[in-house]
Amino acid sequence: MSTISQLDHLVVMAATLEEGVQWCEDTLGVTPAAGGRHAFMGTHNRLLRTSSDAFAASYLEIIAIDPEGVPPTAPFDKRWFDMDAAWLRASVTQHGPQLIHWVARVPDIAASTEALRALDLPAGAPQAASRQTPRGLLEWQIGLRSDGQRLLDGCLPTLIRWGAIHPEASMQDQGVQLLGLELQHPQAGTLRAALLALNLPVDAPIQVQGGA
């Protein structure tokens, strides 16, 4: 596993997974690969490799609420990434799939969580998670709040630490590469300080700017 903090993946929310696939085909010209179900969150996804020199082992996750799933149970009150927020679901239904968040992988998720807490940014306690794949059990730790809330309107990443297998390793290269990430938020100073505390590469290839 990597010993440095890096962007892991982008999160695009869709009203249905079928709509998310169509969006990917229309926007990027490729069909995302099969993903899986997150039984503990009641969501499912499709995945697209986006690895580049700037963002090694990165991918795009298209995620939707699983119509065959069930809502999360204790200790979680809501699904991750604000997916149960009425305003966000309405926006996705009205305007279509949209980029809502990103996830950063860190070498020590407990230490990174505490670094954010020291900045008064309660990112949530690390939780163990897993799902079955054709290559075996995919396992990870992820920092989740019980209310599912994203911090700084989704500009501050959720933290993740993968087990022995990273999902990007089995994804086909379809010619899509992520070259940079630009974040705009009114609290740009707070956001920048948080990313620096996580040892993420601020200024390049991740840029932070003020604005609405």
Side-chain angles (χ1 to χ4, degrees):
M1 296 298 298
S2 173
T3 58
I4 61 173
S5 299
Q6 303 177 59
L7 178 146
D8 190 73
H9 65 275
L10 303 177
V11 181
V12 169
M13 180 178 171
T16 68
L17 211 49
E18 293 75 16
E19 289 183 21
V21 170
Q22 188 63 57
W23 169 88
C24 188
E25 293 174 343
D26 293 343
T27 304
L28 300 175
V30 296
T31 300
R37 285 185 161 87
H38 313 109
F40 72 110
M41 277 289 154
T43 59
H44 56 171
N45 65 9
R46 296 284 290 265
L47 307 173
L48 175 66
R49 184 180 187 271
T50 61
S51 298
S52 65
D53 290 342
F55 297 108
S58 67
Y59 65 96
L60 172 70
E61 175 183 34
I62 299 170
I63 193 167
I65 292 174
D66 185 353
E68 299 180 6
V70 297
T73 56
F76 306 111
D77 301 319
K78 302 289 184 180
R79 292 179 177 88
W80 46 18
F81 311 150
D82 276 321
M83 291 181 69
D84 283 324
W87 66 268
L88 182 56
R89 294 175 69 168
S91 177
V92 170
T93 297
Q94 181 179 356
H95 302 293
Q98 52 197 263
L99 178 65
I100 64 164
H101 197 34
W102 64 295
V103 177
R105 62 180 179 271
V106 294
D108 187 332
I109 192 169
S112 294
T113 299
E114 285 305 312
L116 292 181
R117 192 177 303 278
L119 296 174
D120 199 24
L121 293 168
Q127 303 286 336
S130 65
R131 68 175 177 85
Q132 286 291 343
T133 75
R135 298 183 63 207
L137 186 65
L138 189 64
E139 298 178 290
W140 66 96
Q141 289 182 301
I142 186 167
L144 296 175
R145 292 169 54 99
S146 62
D147 60 7
Q149 183 182 347
R150 301 165 298 156
L151 296 181
L152 297 180
D153 303 295
C155 287
L156 185 67
T158 289
L159 306 180
I160 197 167
R161 186 180 189 278
W162 291 99
I165 301 173
H166 189 280
E168 183 270 350
S170 61
M171 294 180 197
Q172 177 185 359
D173 184 354
Q174 299 193 67
V176 177
Q177 293 188 339
L178 179 63
L179 303 180
L181 178 66
E182 182 178 307
L183 303 166
Q184 290 189 343
H185 195 274
Q187 295 177 262
T190 298
L191 176 58
R192 181 182 175 84
L195 298 184
L196 289 172
L198 295 173
N199 293 316
L200 284 160
V202 179
D203 294 330
I206 300 172
Q207 297 184 18
V208 178
Q209 299 183 10

